[in-house]
Amino acid sequence: MKLAARISRISVSKTMAVMEAAIKLREQGIDVVDFGPGEPDFPTPQNVKQAGVRAIQADFTKYTAIGGIKELKKAIVDKHAREFGSKYDVSECVVNIGGKHAIFNIFASVVDEGEDVIIPTPYWVTFADIARFVNSNPIFVPTRESDGFRLTVDILERALTPKTRLVVVNSPNNPSGAVLDDAEFGKIAKLCHERGIYLLSDECYSHFLYDGRMPFSVASSTELKSHIIIAGSVSKTYSMTGWRIGYVLALPEIIAAIVKLQSHSTSNPTSISQKAALEALTGPQESVGIMLAEYAKRRKFVLDRLRAIPGVKCAEPGGAFYAYPNISAAFGRGGIKDSVDFSARLLEKAYVAVTPGEAFGTTDHVRMSYATSMEQLDKGLKRIHEFMGSL
Ligand SMILES: Cc1ncc(COP(=O)(O)O)c(C=O)c1O
């Protein structure tokens, strides 16, 4: 069957393939430990759920403004200004259907066919596929594992091309948990500004930082605002993945372009979810600290246990809820060639689901999400240890 070229340029997320294999085993009654999902295992906070219920009861169930209700946009820009020192007007904010939609609409609005988009590796798989969908060229730029996978301005500068339109930075990073040095991030923004290139900062994990580090946004460099585009989301911060609310902060022209696109595609984000997101951003914030404290405990547990496995190395994740261990010591043993093989064999023999690094642009790693209970982490890590020993 003939399909459009643009859809043939993208593939189903590799993270989905692992999920599907794990689901099949579960259906056979097998006790699978699943480190695949990039989703908080906490319920949405009670006050947020109640705001959603109140919205339904008040019949707030009709179309809203395409770019989101004014109160929510105001709550987004006010909170961003309070926490990060940014300066955005309500006209510089649009609400989208999750962070993924925000990123898709940014690419669609600012990147032309044939232009280059710089994507540091390891990267969240969606960046690469959206770049291909809009017929731009994703340019993958490796970061160093020995530097904890942190992008530096030098690495970026060497990678820029005359056709570069957009640089994508995701800090804290999915899949590595890497957090850029704040000053270095500022230099990256300055370089992009000087070269007339847009910097897309995906802040979806911005509130999950460890060791007392404070959340940071590159939008605090207000003098560089013309080239900074922020993509944010309430999905992870407030455990609201199913509500589907994200946002973009950028110059009014970019926001207007995104609103135009939404006016012919999705229309407004779900009305009741907007009310719930408004409560999440303006109501009590305790739940965020509670989740972060739990992730911090799990991070330490996972790192200690991974590093105790002979042959496994793991860079310290400074944020988000993923570990990205290097398992290349297993290559050449037990017929394992690469991380795809490793993940398939681990699932088949030890019933542990992880995501192969190939999905994120590196060959020697697997991604483990620790957004799951201590009990599951303990069980899964024991199995991984035994599996490595058995090769
Ligand atoms: C790096 C990154 N950005 C953005 C998102 C988008 O999340 P959502 O669309 O649920 O807001 C995700 C989700 O996994 C992510 O990992």
Side-chain angles (χ1 to χ4, degrees), residues 38 98-100 103 124 170 174 202 204-205 233 235-236 244 322:
K100 197 177 263 190
I103 292 162
W124 181 48
N170 169 220
N174 174 8
D202 175 357
C204 134
Y205 296 98
S233 167
S235 284
K236 318 279 174 168
R244 311 307 304 137
Y322 307 103

Side-chain angles (χ1 to χ4, degrees), residues 19 30 100 132 179 182 188 195 229 233 354 366:
M19 245 167 68
I30 293 168
K100 197 177 263 190
R132 293 188 185 105
V179 180
D182 295 351
I188 287 171
R195 303 285 179 93
I229 307 176
S233 167
V354 295
V366 292

Side-chain angles (χ1 to χ4, degrees), residues 54-65:
R54 277 198 306 276
I56 294 175
Q57 284 167 343
D59 290 324
F60 193 73
T61 52
K62 303 289 177 71
Y63 293 135
T64 72

Side-chain angles (χ1 to χ4, degrees), residues 4-11 113 128-129 131-136:
R6 75 178 74 83
I7 202 72
S8 311
R9 284 196 294 272
I10 63 173
S11 34
E113 295 196 3
D129 276 294
R132 293 188 185 105
F133 188 79
V134 301
N135 215 4
S136 64

